[in-house]
Amino acid sequence: MSTKLKGVGAALITPFNEDLSIDFDGLKKVIDFISNEGCDYLVVNGTTGESATTTATEKAELLAFVKANNSKNLPLVYGAGGNNTAAVIEHIKNTDFEGVEALLSVCPYYNKPPQAGLIAHFEAIADVSPVPVILYNVPGRTVTSLSLETILHLAKHPNIIALKDATSSLEQAMTLTYSVPKDFILLSGDDNLVTPQVSMGYQGVISVIANGFPKEFHEMTWAALNGDFEKAAAYQRRFLIFDDLLYRESNPVGIKKVCAIRGLCDARLRLPLVEASKGLGDLLEKAMKEEGFLA
């Protein structure tokens, strides 16, 4: 089992300038903040990075920039997924994976493939990917969900090494931990469930909230991984309010506002997403102060 994916992987946001071009200065501030405060690896071009609205050229620029500004030399994971298998494969073939640890690929959305289609989709991706593949199951966004049987089938593929589980199902999480091969990595995709999922055998999390609260979230996750569930649960309670607020106006609206409050970058997003409302921003700042994350 790869230890490079253990702990906290931050799903990087993509800051934007006023003209909605990529704010690379802001991105460097975010990378440095996350890396210095606590994070085990970086995830580039995930859905939190607004991959749906960045161009192919921008995706390549983002990956190259993160590689060049990875101040702590953290492992990198790159996101490449979609609902057109051929296009995903072309994207992979045109990507420079030098220095990349793994590929994160989201479950196809909108066209609602059956389980046989999901198997064929991910096997085709794994067959061409030059790095190991992490499956990303997030039915709240994609509607379609990988069944337990499909996950177990795909886990047998030699180039599919992990699952990011954002189903919010503790029952399935428990079943997965005693069903998958021992070298298959299970990662949480739900920031509010990290502690209970680690208690079942998950190896960590690919996190949204780590962009804004890297030190405390890293301490929470590693407390759980080290068996100190009392400490982990205390941190998890402090984060509970943010599970509602961060997603109230969709992701990454909330976490971008948190980063703006911290002075790392602006809170701008590309349409059809829009910047957090004043009401949400006020609630986030209030919660950050009340929970001791902001002076």
Side-chain angles (χ1 to χ4, degrees), residues 241-242 245 283-293:
I241 187 172
F242 296 100
L245 295 177
L283 288 171
L284 282 166
E285 187 165 2
K286 180 173 181 285
M288 290 169 71
K289 290 178 179 177
E290 288 180 347
E291 293 300 330
F293 296 122

Side-chain angles (χ1 to χ4, degrees), residues 126-127 131-133 153-161 183:
D127 286 345
V131 295
V133 173
H153 179 94
L154 291 170
K156 297 175 184 177
H157 193 290
N159 205 33
I160 297 177
I161 64 164
D183 61 347

Side-chain angles (χ1 to χ4, degrees), residues 35 55-56 98 102 124 145 248:
S35 301
T55 67
E98 184 178 357
S145 182
R248 187 172 288 186

Side-chain angles (χ1 to χ4, degrees), residues 187-200:
L187 302 168
S188 177
D190 291 308
D191 285 339
N192 62 319
L193 295 180
V194 176
T195 298
Q197 287 178 323
V198 168
S199 76
M200 296 174 187

Side-chain angles (χ1 to χ4, degrees), residues 212-233:
F213 308 91
K215 180 178 183 293
E216 297 85 356
F217 204 75
H218 186 263
E219 289 179 359
M220 181 200 78
T221 302
W222 277 96
L225 286 167
N226 290 326
D228 188 348
F229 291 105
E230 183 176 356
K231 180 179 179 180

Side-chain angles (χ1 to χ4, degrees), residues 20-21 98 128 145 170 177 195 238 288:
L20 296 183
S21 61
E98 184 178 357
V128 301
S145 182
L170 289 179
T177 56
T195 298
R238 291 175 68 194
M288 290 169 71

Side-chain angles (χ1 to χ4, degrees), residues 15-286:
F16 295 121
N17 294 306
E18 189 172 358
D19 64 358
L20 296 183
S21 61
I22 295 174
D23 174 13
F24 287 104
D25 290 338
L27 179 57
K28 187 177 188 311
K29 289 180 183 178
V30 173
I31 293 169
D32 289 344
F33 176 61
I34 292 170
S35 301
N36 292 330
E37 291 291 323
C39 186
D40 299 293
Y41 58 98
L42 304 174
V43 181
V44 186
N45 196 47
T47 49
T48 299
E50 293 175 74
S51 56
T53 54
T54 54
T55 67
T57 299
E58 288 173 330
K59 287 173 169 56
E61 290 172 345
L62 283 167
L63 180 57
F65 184 85
V66 174
K67 287 180 183 179
N69 291 274
N70 185 5
S71 56
K72 297 292 186 181
N73 198 30
L74 298 177
L76 301 180
V77 171
Y78 182 71
N83 60 351
N84 179 342
T85 309
V88 176
I89 289 172
E90 189 67 16
H91 180 182
I92 292 169
K93 289 180 176 179
N94 290 326
T95 297
D96 177 10
F97 281 94
E98 184 178 357
V100 175
E101 181 70 21
L103 170 74
L104 176 67
S105 197
V106 70
C107 205
Y109 41 84
Y110 189 76
N111 42 17
K112 298 171 71 172
Q115 296 300 310
L118 294 173
I119 288 172
H121 171 83
F122 282 115
E123 287 182 337
I125 289 171
D127 286 345
V128 301
S129 176
V131 295
V133 173
I134 304 168
L135 308 173
Y136 180 15
N137 197 22
V138 56
R141 284 183 172 267
T142 64
V143 181
T144 302
S145 182
L146 296 169
S147 71
L148 175 63
E149 293 76 15
T150 294
I151 294 168
L152 295 179
H153 179 94
L154 291 170
K156 297 175 184 177
H157 193 290
N159 205 33
I160 297 177
I161 64 164
L163 169 73
K164 178 185 176 184
D165 175 10
T167 63
S168 299
S169 171
L170 289 179
E171 181 179 357
Q172 178 163 302
M174 188 177 296
T175 305
L176 280 168
T177 56
Y178 63 73
S179 300
V180 297
K182 291 194 180 300
D183 61 347
F184 190 78
I185 303 165
L186 294 172
L187 302 168
S188 177
D190 291 308
D191 285 339
N192 62 319
L193 295 180
V194 176
T195 298
Q197 287 178 323
V198 168
S199 76
M200 296 174 187
Y202 279 47
Q203 294 295 302
V205 57
I206 292 178
S207 170
V208 172
I209 204 170
N211 283 278
F213 308 91
K215 180 178 183 293
E216 297 85 356
F217 204 75
H218 186 263
E219 289 179 359
M220 181 200 78
T221 302
W222 277 96
L225 286 167
N226 290 326
D228 188 348
F229 291 105
E230 183 176 356
K231 180 179 179 180
Y235 270 120
Q236 195 80 73
R237 185 209 61 77
R238 291 175 68 194
F239 286 121
L240 192 59
I241 187 172
F242 296 100
D243 187 59
D244 168 40
L245 295 177
L246 288 177
Y247 306 102
R248 187 172 288 186
E249 295 178 7
S250 195
N251 184 51
V253 175
I255 195 61
K256 275 197 158 181
K257 188 62 180 179
V258 167
C259 290
I261 291 169
R262 288 201 179 278
L264 298 172
C265 62
D266 196 86
R268 299 183 190 92
L269 296 97
R270 286 180 175 173
L271 291 172
L273 295 178
V274 294
E275 187 174 337
S277 64
K278 184 181 184 305
L280 178 59
D282 291 344
L283 288 171
L284 282 166
E285 187 165 2
K286 180 173 181 285

